[in-house]
Amino acid sequence: MSYKLQFAELLPYWSVLLYGLVFTIVLTIVSTVAGVAVGTAGAAARTFGPGWLGRIVAVYVELIRNTPFIVQLFFIFFGLPALGLKLSETTAAFLAMVINLGAYSTEIIRAGIEAVPKGHIEAGLSLAMTKWEVLRHVVLNQAFRKIYPALSSQIIIVMLGSAVVSQISAEDLTYAANYVASRNFRNFEVYLLVALAYLALAMLTRSALRALGRVIFKAR
Amino acid sequence: MSLVSIRDVRKSFGQNEVLKGVSLDIAKGDVVAIIGRSGSGKSTLLRCINGLETYQSGSIVADGIEVGGAATNLRELRRHVGMVFQQFNLFPHLTAAENVMLAPTVVNKVSKAEARITAAEVLAKVGLSEKMDAYPSELSGGQQQRVAIARSLAMRPKVMLCDEITSALDPELVNEVLRVVEQLAREGMTLILVTHEMRFARDVGTKLVFMHHGKVHEEGVPKEVFAAPRTPELQQFVGQVG
Ligand SMILES: Nc1ncnc2c1ncn2[C@@H]1O[C@H](COP(=O)(O)OP(=O)(O)O)[C@@H](O)[C@H]1O
Ligand SMILES: [Mg+2]
């Protein structure tokens, strides 16, 4: 078994690969920010909101957590046009990612909120704060501190899972790899390089999130 | 005119009637000590006064605000009715000063600078000037409870509800908290305290309330009631704890 690695043959495609890498990074950052915002709102609705709203959120969460991401993506990109909603590959990819992470982070953040002692909430209410003020100033900080590791893991899972958006031709890193491999046939080199890129991205994301956590939660 | 007026209040949790027609009048400057066996409804009564619990019938009027109404302005009520809990319930992510400053800035829209001045003042009052920037995890139980009292004081309440605020403390830390409460009483703060500290109830209280099975079983001037409890239940209770 002897295979001669020919990484030089990837060089002509460096801009394609770089574009894919940047696309994946931007996709991850945007869907993390928006997905965690959705998750925070969802968790707040389930714990502090009216019952009907909580039930709607529960349906959303279960729907997303119990179906494959690729099916959600296909539904948004190929299915919704039947209702007259035609999205570009890029928009569909971003939307699917946000909806997906939103559902998972709703559950994670909700667990964090429920772990905050009831007494803290009652103390806040007794100080004449409204329950939304208590949520904002007393509950969320403690909740996020507790679930930050779980949320970080979920963000990395979603970042790696974003490779699936190449299936609707959104031009992410995996799409770029497919594109290059189909032209120079250097499958081994291309996918090895891209695998290493994902590995590096995952490790970078993990340490970036850890550093961010230290800044946000520096107080004891 | 009473500051807090409780009329025939009934409260059930499901089938379990916990308050069976409680009436009490509390005047400005009163220090009311509520004693009674565990499960007799003391905490529930306190929690009804600031709207943490709802009740089914009767009425509670605190500082002119009818508590149980559907349209009751709980924010307005709670600005005047403070509460301190057995478990301190300090916000762990905030320093002592920040704990004290939170409600004035959020609820009363006071500036941070002004709130910090108030925080310094109330923390000095509870003897914790040195601990303004300490986090709750860096404080002893007694210190945490004194911060909790300061936090409540910062809202300038007209009446403070204290639910067994020394029960979670190691014995050697009880007195530092009781001294703070006693000073508040001397300064004229209206206090409603659920307590197991019988000596404190007798020496500092202006009124004693013995609750039994969801009712006010006996009430009166603490020294007189302790000296000559009329009902066998209170005689037995005093005999056990005193
Ligand atoms: N949230 C609740 N749900 C159901 N029952 C409760 C609740 N809170 C208190 N109770 C019941 O009400 C009764 C009185 O409780 P409580 O007011 O805490 O008594 P105390 O403070 O005198 O010990 C007890 O039987 C208790 O089990
Ligand atoms: Mg109690």
Side-chain angles (χ1 to χ4, degrees), chain A residues 27 53 65 72 74 96 109 127 145 147 155 159 175 198:
Chain A
L27 180 62
L53 187 60
R65 293 205 312 162
Q72 296 161 18
F74 283 179
I109 296 167
L127 287 162
R145 191 178 295 240
I147 53 91
I155 288 166
M159 191 268 286
Y175 175 89
Y198 275 111

Side-chain angles (χ1 to χ4, degrees), chain A residues 53-117:
Chain A
L53 187 60
R55 281 188 290 279
I56 292 174
V57 173
V59 170
Y60 154 63
V61 167
E62 291 313 308
L63 218 57
I64 298 304
R65 293 205 312 162
N66 294 294
T67 53
F69 177 56
I70 192 164
V71 174
Q72 296 161 18
L73 182 71
F74 283 179
F75 180 79
I76 289 171
F77 186 65
F78 298 118
L80 288 186
L83 303 178
L85 193 61
K86 175 106 188 63
L87 302 171
S88 71
E89 299 83 359
T90 306
T91 311
F94 276 84
L95 189 62
M97 290 277 287
V98 171
I99 289 174
N100 187 269
L101 181 59
Y104 280 95
S105 56
T106 293
E107 272 312 275
I108 294 172
I109 296 167
R110 183 173 75 111
I113 290 176
E114 281 169 0
V116 174

Side-chain angles (χ1 to χ4, degrees), chain B residues 13 16 18 37-44:
Chain B
F13 291 105
N16 181 16
V18 172
R37 243 179 273 290
S38 171
S40 57
K42 306 180 297 294
S43 296
T44 305

Side-chain angles (χ1 to χ4, degrees), chain A residues 127-177:
Chain A
L127 287 162
M129 288 192 268
T130 64
K131 65 178 177 177
W132 300 109
E133 289 165 349
V134 172
L135 179 72
R136 153 106 173 66
H137 296 284
V138 176
V139 175
L140 280 184
N141 186 297
Q142 296 189 58
F144 270 98
R145 191 178 295 240
K146 277 192 185 106
I147 53 91
Y148 194 73
L151 194 58
S152 299
S153 301
Q154 190 62 41
I155 288 166
I156 287 164
I157 289 170
V158 163
M159 191 268 286
L160 296 177
S162 74
V164 165
V165 303
S166 62
Q167 295 301 307
I168 60 167
S169 302
E171 297 175 348
D172 77 326
L173 184 56
T174 303
Y175 175 89

